[in-house]
Amino acid sequence: MTSIPSSLPSSTDEPTANTNLTTKPSIPTNLTEIQTNSSSKTTEQFRTYTQDNHDETPSRVVEHYRDMRMFQTVDFYERMAEKYSFADGKYRKLMTIEEAFVELENYVDASDPDLDLPNLLHLLQTAEGIRKANHPDWLQLTGLLHDMGKIMFLWGNGTNGQDGYSPNGKQWALGGDTFVVGCQIPNEAVVFPEFNALNPDMKNEKYNTKYGMYEPHCGLDNLKFAWGHDEYMYRMLVANETTLPREALDMIRYHSAYPWHEKGAYRHMMKEEDYEREKWVQMFNKFDLYTKDEENELRGERMSEELLPYYRGLLEKYGLGGKLKW
């Protein structure tokens, strides 16, 4: 484990708002024409999950969610938080964002029923959809960065659900819809609820109740969502002292928490301020989901000559240029 000067913040430090933004960002309302290309899929054809129809949901996705429900526990979360800690100057590797993209070139999300594309293309589709809608540059950059936490596969393996090297590698701690560990898993809010009983914590009376180990209205940031790329990337950005606004960090940290922001779970543990934060995540997820298109024009010369130079400028603007701690 390599060390850096102790003056840098630990992963538990709360991010501060970007002082370069003179006013609090307002939630964009125009979500029309966000796709980078015309897609033949309707909105109802995205996020289709069923065990019985493998034409709609690949078997690898079903297996992924079974594994998530079996192995994502409080103990696992705490072990991964320690493994990927940035506290006391820790980090695993120094890389630029572009070097991390190179590492991610051959990674395909095993939990995604909608797309079989390299991660970089999905990230560019999201970012360009936001750009096409004329939303702020910090929001565009958020689209580019939101899934980069899957870089954890460099230091993980199949045993801990972070195998990104094998075509059918176990990735249950890299991607997928996240639920709160340490309390009852809501049957009505998760995909494949029939797998909930497989979770060991659901046999522990300390964790298997409505509140589990949490207090009423303890707030979103006090909940431990199943460990994955979202939480890791949030911690990485905080450790690198990005100047992206808090709204961007929320989108990155909670965009996979579909039981919360799509199905309305965990209201009994939210603070009043969390409702406004949820609106930002919901808005962002429209771009994350509906820009997915395997027929796209983002490869080749356009990527190298137009897109990457543009986003390099945004990385510099928001404190993410050069070598970063991962």
Side-chain angles (χ1 to χ4, degrees):
M1 187 75 72
T2 314
S3 293
I4 55 177
S6 58
S7 59
L8 288 166
S10 74
S11 61
T12 56
D13 288 347
E14 284 297 315
T16 56
N18 180 5
T19 56
N20 294 326
L21 297 173
T22 56
T23 59
K24 178 178 172 59
S26 58
I27 299 174
T29 56
N30 175 24
L31 299 180
T32 61
E33 299 193 5
I34 63 175
Q35 291 172 301
T36 49
N37 293 279
S38 298
S39 175
S40 59
K41 294 180 71 170
T42 64
T43 56
E44 292 77 14
Q45 290 175 300
F46 286 90
R47 288 184 54 79
T48 300
Y49 295 97
T50 172
Q51 284 198 69
D52 301 324
N53 189 342
H54 288 179
D55 289 334
E56 292 187 0
T57 306
S59 58
R60 61 176 169 80
V61 176
V62 178
E63 181 181 353
H64 176 94
Y65 278 100
R66 183 178 64 245
D67 289 344
M68 276 194 81
R69 227 57 58 79
M70 288 177 64
F71 301 123
Q72 287 278 5
T73 63
V74 173
D75 177 70
F76 179 78
Y77 179 101
E78 292 175 347
R79 285 190 285 117
M80 291 301 101
E82 176 61 28
K83 176 181 173 69
Y84 292 105
S85 174
F86 291 90
D88 301 321
K90 296 176 183 176
Y91 67 91
R92 283 135 295 280
K93 189 173 182 177
L94 287 173
M95 288 185 288
T96 65
I97 293 291
E98 287 188 65
E99 288 170 339
F101 277 140
V102 172
E103 297 284 1
L104 283 166
E105 274 183 358
N106 296 314
Y107 179 89
V108 176
D109 190 348
S111 70
D112 193 340
D114 298 316
L115 200 65
D116 284 311
L117 279 180
N119 223 50
L120 174 57
L121 285 173
H122 164 55
L123 296 177
L124 281 170
Q125 286 178 336
T126 306
E128 285 296 287
I130 295 169
R131 186 181 177 190
K132 186 177 180 181
N134 296 314
H135 293 328
D137 60 6
W138 64 264
L139 190 52
Q140 299 166 30
L141 184 58
T142 302
L144 186 71
L145 298 174
H146 76 279
D147 274 350
M148 289 199 71
K150 293 169 184 176
I151 198 74
M152 284 190 296
F153 82 90
L154 293 179
W155 308 289
N157 53 50
T159 301
N160 56 28
Q162 295 164 11
D163 179 3
Y165 288 106
S166 303
N168 297 307
K170 297 287 187 179
Q171 298 176 12
W172 49 265
L174 289 173
D177 295 5
T178 57
F179 56 94
V180 176
V181 298
C183 67
Q184 188 178 69
I185 304 172
N187 287 333
E188 70 283 0
V190 297
V191 298
F192 304 118
E194 60 270 30
F195 295 147
N196 289 353
L198 301 176
N199 191 287
D201 285 353
M202 294 304 96
K203 297 178 177 63
N204 186 334
E205 61 185 24
K206 181 180 177 181
Y207 301 136
N208 64 6
T209 63
K210 179 179 179 179
Y211 288 98
M213 66 182 189
Y214 305 104
E215 296 293 330
H217 304 292
C218 58
L220 189 63
D221 292 337
N222 287 310
L223 302 180
K224 296 181 177 181
F225 283 86
W227 185 269
H229 70 282
D230 315 60
E231 182 68 20
Y232 168 79
M233 195 62 189
Y234 162 80
R235 294 181 182 219
M236 177 270 184
L237 291 170
V238 172
N240 283 282
E241 299 183 284
T242 181
T243 57
L244 283 168
R246 177 59 183 265
E247 290 79 4
L249 295 173
D250 281 346
M251 295 173 200
I252 288 168
R253 192 180 197 183
Y254 299 118
H255 70 272
S256 296
Y258 278 90
W260 168 62
H261 65 69
E262 183 181 71
K263 299 299 184 180
Y266 311 120
R267 292 291 184 270
H268 54 292
M269 292 187 282
M270 290 171 63
K271 292 181 178 179
E272 190 63 33
E273 66 188 56
D274 295 334
Y275 288 90
E276 177 73 9
R277 299 167 69 190
E278 182 183 41
K279 293 176 183 177
W280 278 102
V281 178
Q282 290 170 335
M283 179 278 299
F284 175 78
N285 272 62
K286 301 293 185 183
F287 292 96
D288 182 16
L289 184 60
Y290 299 129
T291 56
K292 293 177 180 179
D293 187 357
E294 295 191 30
E295 297 298 325
N296 64 83
E297 301 171 355
L298 301 181
R299 295 178 172 90
E301 289 186 3
R302 187 182 176 204
M303 182 186 293
S304 61
E305 296 181 9
E306 176 194 342
L307 299 181
L308 293 182
Y310 173 75
Y311 287 106
R312 282 190 202 112
L314 297 189
L315 289 167
E316 290 288 345
K317 179 177 179 179
Y318 292 101
L320 297 170
K323 297 281 187 179
L324 303 173
K325 304 181 296 294
W326 296 82

